[in-house]
Amino acid sequence: MSARVIFLGPPGAGKGTQASRLAREWGIPHVATGDMLREAAQNGTRLGLEARGYMDRGALVPDEVVIGLADQRLGQPDAAHGWVLDGFPRTVPQAEALDSLLGRRSLELDRVIFFRVTDAELLRRVTGRRICRQCGAVFHLVFNPPAQGDRCDRCQGALYQREDDAESAVAHRLEVYARQTEPLLGYYRRRNILSEVPGEGSLEQVAAAIRGCIRQAAAS
């Protein structure tokens, strides 16, 4: 299947899970921004090393670096027939830069999918995450609870909650995301390529809604 799709949604919306699942189904790569940055840094490319410098300082990687890495990644052979972008673009300038790099290749976006999830549900999802200090295994108090409460099922290591998963931190992240993303949604809405799907159903229900959006885009 050929598809060039962007998944947008706040932290905890489930876009990464669906992107990975549907990319495998469609035979195209799931391109997550964080993975792309880490891979480039590990490979030691010029842009990758530049990105690593920012990440090591805990600073945001500048748009021009992220866009350059996206240009390189989307030009790789496995992306010739499409991709699912997850976590990029985040702002209107990034979206405009993506349009430019696609235009240079005579390509167009097929669809932008926004995962609509209530703040209350997002807080429930993200604040319930627990991570093993010893092996890094991830659990969730609601969806994937550990058998022994505060101990890892794999190695018996202590579980902890990351600082940015605490309720106050998550609430702030959601506020920042909403401010950044609303103009981006408007940008794609004006181009008539934005679809919204409810992100609070089962995995299959959400996947079915996404498939329906892609079929509708292909038929139009």
Side-chain angles (χ1 to χ4, degrees), residues 6-192:
I6 294 172
F7 282 2
L8 299 178
K15 59 188 183 297
T17 299
Q18 291 291 345
S20 178
R21 177 179 182 173
L22 291 171
R24 287 195 303 270
E25 178 181 313
W26 296 335
I28 56 179
H30 167 203
V31 181
T33 305
D35 294 341
M36 180 179 70
L37 290 171
R38 286 186 289 272
E39 180 182 344
Q42 289 170 0
N43 290 339
T45 65
R46 180 183 63 81
L47 284 173
L49 293 174
E50 190 172 348
R52 175 183 284 171
Y54 288 99
M55 291 187 292
D56 287 347
R57 297 196 301 273
L60 288 175
V61 180
D63 279 1
E64 60 268 22
V65 177
V66 177
I67 292 159
L69 291 172
D71 195 6
Q72 291 178 358
R73 179 63 186 89
L74 300 185
Q76 292 180 15
D78 67 335
H81 298 293
W83 27 259
V84 179
L85 270 179
D86 167 17
F88 177 82
R90 291 183 181 272
T91 63
V92 171
Q94 288 185 357
E96 292 172 340
L98 177 62
D99 287 341
S100 296
L101 73 87
L102 293 178
R104 292 196 298 271
R105 295 186 173 128
S106 299
L107 300 173
E108 293 184 356
L109 282 172
D110 294 308
R111 209 70 187 160
V112 178
I113 307 291
F114 177 66
F115 290 62
R116 179 71 66 184
V117 184
T118 64
D119 283 356
E121 175 64 14
L122 292 170
L123 282 171
R124 187 172 78 100
R125 292 180 181 182
V126 179
T127 58
R129 184 163 47 195
R130 297 294 185 271
I131 301 172
C132 176
R133 291 188 183 278
Q134 188 164 311
C135 72
V138 179
F139 298 87
H140 194 282
L141 299 182
V142 176
F143 306 114
N144 178 35
Q148 299 183 42
D150 62 351
R151 289 289 166 181
C152 175
D153 292 355
R154 298 181 186 176
C155 70
Q156 300 302 304
L159 300 182
Y160 75 103
Q161 182 186 52
R162 298 188 316 182
E163 288 186 9
D164 59 354
D165 286 344
E167 185 167 342
S168 59
V170 174
H172 176 69
R173 287 162 62 196
L174 294 178
E175 290 174 7
V176 171
Y177 183 85
R179 287 199 304 270
Q180 287 183 334
T181 306
E182 196 56 43
L184 184 60
L185 297 180
Y187 176 81
Y188 286 124
R189 192 176 286 117
R190 288 189 294 273
R191 293 176 53 191
N192 295 316

Side-chain angles (χ1 to χ4, degrees), residues 205-219:
Q205 287 171 330
V206 177
I210 295 168
R211 293 186 195 102
C213 293
I214 301 302
R215 285 195 297 270
Q216 185 179 16

